[in-house]
Amino acid sequence: ALTLLEQQVVDLLLSGLTGDEVADLLAVDRRRVALCRAGAMRKYGARNALHLAHLVAITRRSTLHEQVVTLEDVPSSIAV
């Protein structure tokens, strides 16, 4: 699992911000941003930033599918 800072860094980088912009926005050193990105890449097993983006997208997509609630999951006493 990513730390909160790693998650924030990854999210901001994936939104298109540069490392310098992320550092300014989060009020951390540029080196800290690079270390967070490297940590996230290591944890995901990513070879580069593009691979990290791909792996994050796949992980989030599968997580969203696991969170989908169907009508069968809702107790009949509250179903519409």
Side-chain angles (χ1 to χ4, degrees):
L2 298 181
T3 66
L4 178 59
L5 186 58
E6 286 172 340
Q7 185 64 53
Q8 290 172 327
V9 167
V10 167
D11 288 344
L12 292 170
L13 290 171
L14 292 180
S15 74
L17 296 179
T18 66
D20 289 342
E21 291 168 333
V22 171
D24 290 342
L25 188 64
L26 297 177
V28 296
D29 187 72
R30 291 185 335 215
R31 178 82 176 127
R32 184 77 185 260
V33 170
L35 290 172
C36 286
R37 188 189 73 210
M41 289 177 63
R42 186 183 69 255
K43 290 175 182 179
Y44 271 96
R47 296 181 301 269
N48 54 46
L50 182 60
H51 191 213
L52 176 63
H54 177 71
L55 294 172
V56 168
I58 289 171
T59 302
R60 289 183 180 170
R61 202 172 313 129
S62 67
T63 302
L64 286 175
H65 287 296
E66 292 170 4
Q67 294 176 359
V68 172
V69 176
T70 63
L71 190 53
E72 292 81 32
D73 297 329
V74 177
S76 59
S77 60
I78 60 170
V80 260

